[in-house]
Amino acid sequence: MRKCVFAGTFDPFTVGHEDTVNKCLALFDEVVVALAENKQKHCFFSAQAREEMIGAVFAHEPRVRVVRWEGVIADLLAAEDTPFYVRGVRDGTDFAYETADFYASRDLDDKLIALYIPAEQRHLHVSSTLVKNCIAFGKPIGRYVPQAVLDYIRKRGNPHV
């Protein structure tokens, strides 16, 4: 069985994230979506909310599993018994950041295989930051998040997004 890990804070999970997972499903038998709990970041949504949102997006896809992770990616890959680490990239800035991160992770695990999946052109401007800004200013987010995420946010007190 081939399995990959796709990690991020997903604050919140966007249509770009969803597209990356769907592309992973075309390549792998299982996709582990690792919800990173980064103490240096102050997330808009709680870890539980982010986990529930991702779970709702893939509620009918048994090959997607959501886990919470606090630590280095090399340790998560070892725990999941896979070398495949997927990264979504929108532009050259993402590529440069991910490549630097890759080499740091590769120092910890020389078996790590990074797979970069380019964003679709229609998603190049989509980011979790964009979504949070729209929420903060009461602007619609429906084009930027999967329907299950939109429904989740609306049900929990943001009916105008």
Side-chain angles (χ1 to χ4, degrees):
M1 180 175 83
R2 292 283 185 183
K3 170 175 34 173
C4 70
V5 170
F6 176 46
T9 51
F10 306 121
D11 186 36
F13 198 76
T14 69
V15 291
H17 297 134
E18 179 185 33
D19 186 61
T20 299
V21 172
N22 285 331
K23 287 175 180 167
C24 290
L25 288 168
L27 298 168
F28 295 94
D29 301 312
E30 182 180 6
V31 179
V32 177
V33 178
L35 181 61
E37 296 196 57
N38 185 338
K39 300 275 190 226
Q40 296 174 348
K41 286 189 175 182
H42 298 287
C43 290
F44 191 82
F45 294 97
S46 71
Q48 180 176 337
R50 290 178 283 138
E51 183 177 22
E52 289 172 0
M53 284 187 255
I54 299 166
V57 172
F58 297 103
H60 301 293
E61 179 49 78
R63 298 180 302 145
V64 174
R65 183 166 46 91
V66 182
V67 300
R68 290 191 204 175
W69 186 257
E70 185 178 333
V72 298
I73 198 63
D75 292 342
L76 175 58
L77 292 170
E80 290 294 338
D81 193 29
T82 182
F84 301 110
Y85 183 44
V86 172
R87 305 307 299 149
V89 292
R90 291 171 295 185
D91 57 23
T93 302
D94 281 355
F95 182 79
Y97 173 84
E98 295 301 341
T99 300
D101 188 60
F102 164 75
Y103 286 114
S105 295
R106 191 69 175 276
D107 284 344
L108 300 173
D109 179 359
D110 63 356
K111 293 176 187 70
L112 183 146
I113 299 170
L115 301 170
Y116 297 177
I117 297 182
E120 293 296 323
Q121 188 173 18
R122 69 185 181 276
H123 297 151
L124 290 177
H125 68 294
V126 177
S127 68
S128 294
T129 300
L130 171 67
V131 175
K132 289 181 282 197
N133 286 340
C134 287
I135 291 170
F137 292 105
K139 298 300 178 190
I141 62 170
R143 290 179 291 175
Y144 311 128
V145 297
Q147 186 64 47
V149 171
L150 181 64
D151 293 344
Y152 184 96
I153 293 170
R154 282 183 174 160
K155 285 179 187 173
R156 279 151 186 88
N158 290 294
H160 305 292
V161 293

